[in-house]
Amino acid sequence: MGGKLLEIKDLVVHFFTEDGVVKALDGVGFHVNSEETFALVGETGCGKSVTMLSVLGLIPIPGKVINGEVLFYDEDLRHELGIGGSGPVDLLKLSPELMNRVRGKRISLITQDPMTSLNPVYTSGNQIMEVLTTHRGVDRRGAESETFRLLESVALVPPKQIAEKYPHQLSGGERQRVVASISLAASPNLIIADEPTTNLDVTVQARILELLLELKERFRTSLIMITHDLGIVAETSDRVGVMYAGSVVELSDVFALFKEPLHPYTKGLLEAIPNPRKRRKGPLKSIPGSVPDLIDPPEGCRFHPRCELASEICREDKPELREISTGHYVACHHV
Amino acid sequence: MREYIVKKLAIAVIVLIGVYTITFVLTFMMPGDPARVSMGQFGNPETVKLIRQRWGLDRPRYVQYIKYAGSFLKGEMGMSFRYDRPVLDVIKYRFPRSAYLGLWGILFSIVLSIPLGIVAACKQNTPLDNAAVLFSQIGRSLPSFWLGMMLIAMVAVGLGWVKVVPEVEPGRLWSFSGFFTSLDDYILPVITLGTGLMATTTRMTRSSMLEVIREDYITLARAKGLPERVVILKHALRNALIPVVTLIGMQFLLIVGGVIITETVFGINGIGRLYVTSIQMRDYPVVIALTLIYAFGVVLINLLVDLTYGWIDPRVRLR
């Protein structure tokens, strides 16, 4: 595992809707090392996907990045894009044209729902090939043989037949494999997988996860796994970021997080998982209350209305991420 | 594929027989006697009787039904009461003008509305988008007879840029060069006919695009790093066109009404006006012939729309 590849610093994203300003991200910060799997966990609406879309520069209208940096650590990138200077490149400052040369090429995306993420009117081969012709400057014939190779690497055989098929002729698992091969096509440094298995049959989920990890090893990329499933986190990741209502509340390597969760929200999440091996007394624990309205979020720590430990300071002051032990950060006044 | 087309055309024959029967019954149920109409209010009853004999109107209905059917099968479509010539000749003389007007009306609409709809959707809620929406709202609200008269008053009479009544020979319209050069004469009728269509198509393209660009596959296409042009024109447009094709197909059929009005306003001697006067004059053979041609057009357009679907969307492609 190498040094830093991607670092997000103090990212603030607001959505200017008709009902008011949705403060979707409120100072998100974490980093991802090269060749590691980083999991971003949290409930629906906590800002996981928005964080990743801002990395790709694809926040939908009316969203806007208010503050922050998305730093990409790669010596070649400056040279490749023809921009001077040194050090990491702030992706948020790139022009749309330059960003197009990062998207798909350096950072690629695996979207949530394989049923809707492929364009229904083009063959799967066409949709893989366009990445190759856009980023690798290969001609049609070269792109075709490369496409077959990619399809083989995601275990879709025979590749020629799969390439000629339209998305509706493929199963959910097959489609997600096609999406995976699209994400690999330009050999990126980082793949962002946004809940890649949520919409798949349980039997297929495990196989897709295995495939992603195997590909990540083979192609030596980093993987950001966005999920709300702590089971997937435990099985796949090296490090974890836990998000709540637009900020990262805990950041740790996966073993420390499961062994010794620090933030009350993380503890709540872990306690809410049923454990079939343990006999449980009483009902399964749940976190009281519900996710706050991000148009008018709670002052101070956004978790305080649902937190058992909440005190005066939590209502007034937003806790910063502090390092408690090596590599284990938490944003809570009571740790 | 071929099987499908053959099947559709076979159905078309049944449809045409049905349409013929219904039109026949309906025209003869219309009050008024063609012979009396042609002779006027004070026509000599003897003459009227002679005319009825000559046109075969004194024969039993079923004989007339079969006689007309026979003349259609022979291709001459009977004799027009009013013009005293084969219906086919009457129609052949007028059809090129109406077809020219109709086709250009729709071309005008498509060529302008689809790009406008795309741009409006991509720039949603900007002044450009608002202008496009406003424009299409206005275009839809303008009655074509009013728009036609305003264009005549301002552009043809006021500015004197074009002729009020198009004068191009019907034969020239469909020659290769005439197809484009005749537009000089036909520009006002084409705008009159096309504006309403264009407004509707713009709206449809815009809303369909807006729906499509929120799809996951568009996000994925952007995440691939494709240039925006490719994302919109390759990935979004083709999906967005599916409902637009339905609309344009329907417009080809609805346009008959628009053609009648436009031809009347601009004094173009085409099918639309022929239709109206034939009904007024109880010229049954012409009415029946035009209705049948229209019905055949409906079948043909539906077939074309179906084939276009298959071409755009592999999910409805036929095996």
Side-chain angles (χ1 to χ4, degrees), chain B residues 168-189:
Chain B
V168 189
E169 276 302 302
R172 265 207 64 205
L173 293 173
W174 291 91
S175 68
F176 184 73
S177 64
F179 186 72
F180 295 97
T181 51
S182 309
L183 201 55
D184 289 352
D185 264 29
Y186 271 86
I187 189 73
L188 295 188

Side-chain angles (χ1 to χ4, degrees), chain A residues 17-297:
Chain A
T17 66
E18 280 170 19
D19 300 327
V21 180
V22 179
K23 296 152 190 100
L25 297 188
D26 184 34
V28 168
F30 61 87
H31 75 269
V32 180
N33 294 321
S34 52
E35 294 178 45
E36 81 170 347
T37 305
F38 181 88
L40 202 55
V41 203
E43 290 162 278
T44 308
C46 71
K48 302 167 295 197
S49 296
V50 173
T51 307
M52 290 302 104
L53 287 177
S54 13
V55 168
L56 287 163
L58 291 178
I59 301 181
I61 297 167
K64 232 179 167 163
V65 176
I66 304 295
N67 184 36
E69 286 176 293
V70 175
L71 301 173
F72 197 77
Y73 291 81
D74 186 308
E75 293 106 49
D76 304 334
L77 188 60
R78 276 183 185 277
H79 178 70
E80 194 181 295
L81 299 179
I83 45 177
S86 60
V89 179
D90 186 353
L91 299 182
L92 297 179
K93 293 209 172 74
L94 291 180
S95 68
E97 289 74 33
L98 288 180
M99 198 56 207
N100 267 342
R101 288 161 64 185
V102 176
R103 271 197 289 265
K105 174 124 202 237
R106 296 315 193 97
I107 306 176
S108 64
L109 178 71
I110 295 179
T111 37
Q112 200 173 108
D113 188 352
M115 305 315 275
T116 58
S117 53
L118 290 174
N119 194 331
V121 304
Y122 294 105
T123 59
S124 54
N126 182 326
Q127 298 186 54
I128 301 171
M129 257 173 359
E130 66 182 352
V131 183
L132 297 164
T133 46
T134 307
H135 292 301
R136 305 238 308 241
V138 288
D139 61 355
R140 264 198 93 74
R141 179 166 299 178
E144 198 166 69
S145 61
E146 182 64 18
T147 298
F148 294 163
R149 208 183 56 80
L150 281 163
L151 284 170
E152 266 169 4
S153 71
V154 294
L156 283 175
V157 282
K160 193 170 178 328
Q161 279 176 31
I162 300 279
E164 282 166 4
K165 280 191 176 166
Y166 288 94
H168 70 277
Q169 297 167 315
L170 301 169
S171 72
E174 285 170 330
R175 291 189 202 193
Q176 200 59 312
R177 282 166 198 268
V178 171
V179 175
S181 69
I182 288 173
S183 75
L184 288 168
S187 27
N189 309 62
L190 173 65
I191 297 174
I192 298 171
D194 187 355
E195 312 226 10
T197 57
T198 309
N199 288 301
L200 292 173
D201 286 347
V202 184
T203 46
V204 185
Q205 284 187 5
R207 265 183 277 153
I208 293 289
L209 282 178
E210 266 168 40
L211 175 77
L212 286 180
L213 291 180
E214 184 208 315
L215 293 172
K216 180 212 141 224
E217 291 299 322
R218 184 146 38 113
F219 289 80
R220 299 171 63 90
T221 64
S222 302
L223 181 63
I224 296 182
M225 185 80 84
I226 301 178
T227 179
H228 58 254
D229 184 340
L230 285 164
I232 291 178
V233 176
E235 272 170 51
T236 59
S237 15
D238 302 308
R239 285 170 59 247
V240 192
V242 180
M243 280 191 78
Y244 181 79
S247 2
V248 175
V249 293
E250 187 160 0
L251 204 56
S252 156
D253 77 74
V254 70
F255 297 109
L257 187 91
F258 279 89
K259 202 171 145 216
E260 200 187 349
L262 293 175
H263 197 279
Y265 177 66
T266 319
K267 284 180 188 162
L269 280 184
L270 289 169
E271 279 165 7
I273 305 174
N275 185 341
R277 269 179 240 138
K278 249 193 235 161
R279 223 202 167 80
R280 196 169 60 237
K281 291 184 200 98
L284 194 61
K285 263 202 171 177
S286 65
I287 305 175
S290 57
V291 187
D293 172 19
L294 292 181
I295 291 180
D296 186 21

